[in-house]
Amino acid sequence: MRGLDYITDTCPGYNLGKAYKRVTREFEKEFRSSDLTLAQFALLVNIGRHEPASGSDVAFRLGSDLSTVSRTIELLVSRNLVTQERGEDRRVRLYRLTEQGRAALAEAIPKWRRARYEVLSRLDRSSWQRTLRQLRALAS
């Protein structure tokens, strides 16, 4: 059927999805030897940057839904990587990294750096900076 190449060649969803899967595989490969999954790493980074962080704020910043984030945070709490406390509004839970969480994050950062290097080695620096600005515009 004519025109189908045009769709796959120019579709943002198709091409971003394909790139996302390729990049994710590279990071997951590096994280196989870690005690953290890539999703857990992302949550620890996000919580660490915004302590104390509410679950809904973390979900918003990650572009995810609260139920998915909450399940992963609960696992991090059970592993003593994150603490949970009530906010001023008793319905809100606030999260902070524990010392174990900080140590797990510190151990995982070199793995993240290696995966990042592998992915970005396929691009020139100015191309990546331009792409990053465009991705942030799409995400906002």
Side-chain angles (χ1 to χ4, degrees):
M1 185 180 268
R2 282 183 42 129
L4 295 181
D5 287 345
Y6 175 78
I7 292 171
T8 58
D9 290 348
T10 64
C11 177
Y14 176 83
N15 287 284
L16 286 170
K18 193 172 174 183
Y20 170 79
K21 289 173 188 170
R22 175 66 182 96
V23 168
T24 299
R25 278 194 303 272
E26 193 66 49
F27 278 87
E28 286 174 343
K29 180 176 79 175
E30 191 62 50
F31 273 74
R32 279 189 199 122
S33 64
S34 175
D35 288 337
L36 297 175
T37 66
L38 188 54
Q40 292 166 350
F41 176 78
L43 282 170
L44 289 177
V45 167
N46 200 283
I47 291 168
R49 281 190 66 207
H50 302 281
E51 291 180 293
S54 73
S56 58
D57 287 342
V58 171
F60 176 77
R61 282 190 293 271
L62 293 175
S64 189
D65 61 277
L66 180 57
S67 62
T68 300
V69 166
S70 294
R71 283 192 300 273
T72 306
I73 289 176
E74 291 304 318
L75 178 63
L76 296 173
V77 169
S78 73
R79 291 180 56 198
N80 196 34
L81 300 177
V82 171
T83 62
Q84 172 183 288
E85 60 192 58
R86 297 276 181 199
E88 284 184 30
D89 177 340
R90 304 290 293 158
R91 297 170 294 179
V92 174
R93 294 180 187 168
L94 299 174
Y95 302 97
R96 297 177 192 274
L97 298 182
T98 64
E99 286 307 312
Q100 278 182 257
R102 290 183 198 292
L105 193 54
E107 186 178 308
I109 286 173
K111 297 171 189 311
W112 173 84
R113 283 189 177 121
R114 284 191 296 271
R116 180 182 182 270
Y117 176 82
E118 272 306 308
V119 169
L120 293 182
S121 68
R122 297 179 176 98
L123 305 171
D124 65 81
R125 186 169 175 78
S126 64
S127 172
W128 169 242
Q129 293 303 320
R130 191 170 42 258
T131 301
L132 186 56
R133 282 192 304 275
Q134 293 167 336
L135 288 171
R136 286 177 177 154
L138 280 174
S140 64

